[in-house]
Amino acid sequence: MSRLSRSAEYRATQLGATSNDQASDELIRVRPFKDDGGIDTAIEWFESVHPSHSDLSGKRSVPRAAEIVYDGEQISFRYLPCSDDFHWFLTRLRHKYPDSDVRREEANLIHIDEGDYVAGGEWTLRKHRWWPIRRRDLEGFREDDPYETVLGDIVDDAVKAGGATGREPIRSVIQVMFRPTTRNWQTGRLLTTNLTELYYHLNGVYTIHDLAETKREKETADATEIGNVLDRRAKEKAFDVMIRHLSVGDDKEAVKHHAEAVGASFASYYNSKTEQAFIVEPSSSPDTLAETMARREWSGEKMLLTSLEIAPIVHLPPADISIAQLDRRQTKRGEEVPVGSHEHSGYITGEKDA
């Protein structure tokens, strides 16, 4: 059985009093205006936050986080930069999304009551890191936004899982950790295939050597198209990426079911003609996963995605995404919120707002 088709086994762990230990005191929450969203704008934004220099001294870039949160009532979007570039990050978000509500908030992950159950998983790729995932420039994807399907599935399943037991909807968070790759990311690692070799392997004639003879063969049309995608990919900016998700609620089986549904929805959507897809590995220690996500810790297996591949996963929804639970700004941005004002976020780890 392939990794893609196998049945995932999720575990749910009941938590005691939870820690509010965060990687930062603040994050940036964005309430999108209908004309500010979309994948193409997100591609431009990811390009803008990728530094023009990286790792020439051997120093690694600090990872940032982007999160999609469903609190049982609304879906919201937030970003957590490192402390050194918080203002720069905030400014770029406001510049790229001028009519959205972009503001600072406490950097809590999601509300967890004492005694709640948590379940979740970490994502990896079906094929090796060079193989392209479903992208904005692949045929049939330009007019298609995964949020209509994926976010709708998350909300529907959360409401059903809670309603079936007479409880509140399951809460969940998808967390994408990303940091710019090195300037020469296309060259690969020691003793591994690099992007150029894979491109020539797929896009044209290549040589097969065996004991009897040397044969020249040509790949299929699909392989040639994938090779062309790789050629374009080599010219793009790329990120090391980690994705993980967590579901929270007071019913053990409902939480496990919802965690599996979140992972399956993304994995199913991204199984495209390139045969690249997300594989979701259920966490065997969900309480540790919850703590790692709350600290926005860089750990586990990493993927390599370009701006065209990461933007469809984390972007602000455009006007044609009609999910009622989206926390969307209804009017254009007016004057700035006065300095010192405070709005409760509703995303507290441990204790509810008073």
Side-chain angles (χ1 to χ4, degrees), residues 12 17 26 30 58 71 95 126 167 177 182 197-198 201 238 243 247 253 268 273 297 314 319 337 345 354:
E26 288 185 309
V30 182
D71 67 352
H95 173 75
R126 181 181 184 180
R167 301 173 186 266
M177 301 287 298
T182 59
E197 291 170 340
L198 185 59
H201 173 76
I243 308 178
S247 295
E253 293 304 314
S268 175
K273 63 189 296 182
E297 229 173 65
V314 185
V337 177
S345 66

Side-chain angles (χ1 to χ4, degrees), residues 135-151:
R135 290 161 46 101
R136 191 65 170 158
D137 59 349
L138 280 175
E139 182 181 354
F141 192 42
R142 174 156 290 280
E143 289 76 33
D144 197 4
D145 190 316
Y147 278 5
E148 191 72 53
T149 299
V150 174
L151 297 186

